[in-house]
Amino acid sequence: MATEVHAAEGATGYIIHHLTALHVGEGFWTLHLDTLFFSAVLGGLFLWFFKTAADKATAGVPGLVQNFAEMLIEFVDTQVKDSFHGNSKLIAPLALTIFCWVFLWNFMDLFPVDIFPLIGSLMGIEYLRVVPSTDLNATFAMSISVFCLIIFYSIKIKGPWGFAKELMFQPFGPWLLPFNLLLKLVEEIAKPISLALRLFGNLYAGELIFILIALLPWYIQPVLSFPWAIFHILIITLQAFIFMVLTIVYLSMAHEDH
Amino acid sequence: MSINATLIGQMITFALLVWFTMKYIWPPLFDSLEERKKKIADGLAAAEKGQEEIILAEKRAKGVLKEAKEQSSEIVTLAQKRANEIVEESKDTAKKEGERLIVAAKAQIEQEIQQAKEGLRQEVADLALSAAEQILGAEIDKAKHQDIVSKVSNQLG
């Protein structure tokens, strides 16, 4: 469904066009408006749905909305209780937010790749990338937030000295202090990076394949995009789930005092 | 593709979402879940208690029934005993009454016999006197011969 302009630029142009964000600003102060807009809208959707359920929440017979919300709550709560044994008011809501938000981000991937850019072009918007998780900024924003929480809780639970001790003296004892420090730092820093890159990589690749399929003749497209979309339903849920579970695990590790 | 200020915007959005969820979404939904769990648990406990109470009540009812049966059989036994006693008593009374009647009748008979004997004696004495009078041809002074007459009449009795 490439438009005239993109056809002239060829397949590469089409792909680049689809993976370029709508941005304003220069250098570091560039803002990806599409990422900000869609993630905010999806976040709002998530909050609206759960707020509706929460407002009508009763201990009696639940309605349809409440039922669904409670199902997710129970699901998240089970995950949290499985790996986190402390008492925290933050972790469960955090996990729920991460799961739902990431899932909604990823879900945008299932819309046909050209629908939103087409609507955008009709409204005069040249570039539009609708899947926030194909933007490194979105995934890193989340993983860096989680990383900050990890550091915060590590220091809060173990104390600054306790945390420093853990960094310096584990796992090989005080005689190999520099080595321990290096290992621990890599381990800690690997957490946000792996979180962000895993989600980004999966969704970016998925989106790329959808775009590639969209370049094929129309009679082949359904044969390929249909199974890929079905497979993708699994991927988007799985990625959201992984992000959530790893967040819980990292935070429970931060809570554990050795 | 590069990291830029979008990161900061996303982080702010994320923080807001988490804050909102933590404050307004998780607690009411989770509380309602817990409350329902408690309600169900309470209901189950109440049902179990009710069942236990039914069993207890059945036991109690059985006990009461058994007691009542025992009492009734006791009452029946007592009544039978009493009835026997009454029968015995009335038999005794009847016997005594009969004996009394017999005694009375005998006494009466005796009395009547005595009366009849007395009458007969009188008559025999009279007859003997009149016969002696006729024989002697002269009237015997009744007062004078009282001893003799009574002697005779005694001999007759």
Side-chain angles (χ1 to χ4, degrees):
Chain A
M1 276 194 50
T3 56
E4 295 294 312
V5 186
H6 303 122
E9 290 171 2
T12 317
Y14 177 74
I15 294 169
I16 288 171
H17 177 258
H18 270 281
L19 291 175
T20 305
L22 175 69
H23 56 271
V24 291
E26 283 294 321
F28 177 74
W29 293 109
T30 311
L31 285 175
H32 292 170
L33 292 180
D34 45 8
T35 301
L36 289 168
F37 174 75
F38 281 105
S39 57
V41 166
L42 293 170
L45 198 69
F46 155 69
L47 289 187
W48 168 77
F49 178 81
F50 273 86
K51 188 83 180 87
T52 316
D55 285 344
K56 283 192 248 158
T58 74
V61 181
L64 202 66
V65 175
Q66 197 192 341
N67 230 335
F68 185 68
E70 279 178 359
M71 198 182 79
L72 283 169
I73 295 255
E74 285 242 88
F75 163 70
V76 171
D77 192 51
T78 313
Q79 297 302 327
V80 171
K81 285 203 176 116
D82 276 352
S83 38
F84 182 72
H85 301 296
N87 189 16
S88 169
K89 286 206 178 314
L90 173 74
I91 289 190
L94 176 78
L96 178 73
T97 311
I98 288 177
F99 180 73
C100 294
W101 207 26
V102 172
F103 178 79
L104 289 172
W105 283 357
N106 296 350
F107 188 81
M108 295 302 288
D109 212 4
L110 290 176
F111 287 106
V113 287
D114 276 311
I115 278 196
F116 287 106
L118 186 67
I119 296 170
S121 70
L122 290 177
M123 285 157 61
I125 298 166
E126 196 189 344
Y127 294 105
L128 195 60
R129 194 172 54 180
V130 295
V131 189
S133 34
T134 57
D135 188 339
L136 269 179
N137 290 302
T139 60
F140 263 111
M142 201 177 253
S143 69
I144 287 172
S145 306
V146 170
F147 181 65
C148 291
L149 285 174
I150 293 173
I151 301 297
F152 172 74
Y153 278 114
S154 292
I155 291 172
K156 191 185 162 194
I157 303 292
K158 297 163 188 166
W161 176 236
F163 184 48
K165 252 190 350 198
E166 196 184 299
L167 286 182
M168 289 187 288
F169 301 147
Q170 280 180 13
F172 297 122
W175 297 108
L176 289 167
L177 193 146
F179 191 60
N180 288 338
L181 195 62
L182 187 72
L183 203 70
K184 275 284 177 185
L185 282 179
V186 169
E187 188 187 321
E188 291 299 322
I189 290 169
K191 284 174 184 174
I193 292 178
S194 67
L195 271 181
L197 287 185
R198 182 184 303 110
L199 179 60
F200 167 75
N202 269 282
L203 269 292
Y204 193 81
E207 178 76 348
L208 194 62
I209 287 175
F210 274 124
I211 295 169
L212 288 176
I213 290 170
L215 280 168
L216 295 169
W218 64 268
Y219 48 86
I220 303 178
Q221 284 184 23
V223 183
L224 292 171
S225 63
F226 178 63
W228 182 243
I230 288 177
F231 182 57
H232 219 63
I233 294 174
L234 178 69
I235 291 181
I236 61 174
T237 320
L238 195 66
Q239 286 305 321
F241 179 70
I242 288 172
F243 206 115
M244 177 190 80
V245 167
L246 284 179
T247 302
I248 298 168
V249 169
Y250 290 157
L251 284 177
S252 53
M253 276 162 73
H255 276 76
E256 268 161 26
D257 208 346
H258 292 291
Chain B
M1 188 61 61
S2 52
I3 298 290
N4 53 37
T6 313
L7 184 83
I8 297 164
Q10 286 292 104
M11 279 170 86
I12 293 167
T13 316
F14 183 53
L16 285 176
L17 284 180
V18 171
W19 170 77
F20 193 89
T21 311
M22 205 168 97
K23 186 130 189 166
Y24 297 110
I25 288 174
W26 188 270
L29 279 170
F30 194 71
D31 286 353
S32 79
L33 270 176
E34 290 293 305
E35 207 182 319
R36 187 170 324 123
K37 245 184 232 169
K38 199 174 157 285
K39 255 189 184 174
I40 292 171
D42 285 355
L44 285 177
E48 211 164 285
K49 209 176 148 203
Q51 214 110 37
E52 267 168 24
E53 261 169 25
I54 286 174
I55 290 169
L56 261 175
E58 265 175 11
K59 238 185 226 170
R60 219 177 304 143
K62 260 185 198 164
V64 169
L65 211 67
K66 204 179 154 197
E67 208 171 293
K69 265 185 189 165
E70 272 168 12
Q71 257 177 8
S72 70
S73 71
E74 205 172 298
I75 287 169
V76 167
T77 316
L78 262 172
Q80 265 173 353
K81 204 172 152 200
R82 180 92 190 100
N84 283 343
E85 270 174 18
I86 288 170
V87 168
E88 287 301 317
E89 239 169 63
S90 54
K91 262 187 195 166
D92 270 9
T93 332
K95 218 174 174 183
K96 272 181 195 157
E97 182 70 14
E99 272 166 11
R100 198 182 58 81
L101 280 176
I102 289 168
V103 169
K106 270 185 182 165
Q108 207 173 353
I109 291 167
E110 195 71 30
Q111 203 183 348
E112 266 169 25
I113 289 172
Q114 287 301 328
Q115 267 175 4
K117 270 185 182 168
E118 198 67 33
L120 278 173
R121 199 166 25 199
Q122 201 65 46
E123 227 160 284
V124 167
D126 284 351
L127 272 176
L129 274 179
S130 64
E133 261 173 20
Q134 278 169 18
I135 295 165
L136 293 172
E139 203 179 305
I140 302 170
D141 190 3
K142 246 190 183 173
K144 230 182 175 172
H145 300 96
Q146 185 65 47
D147 280 352
I148 301 163
V149 171
S150 64
K151 217 181 260 174
V152 170
S153 75
N154 271 346
Q155 274 169 354
L156 285 169

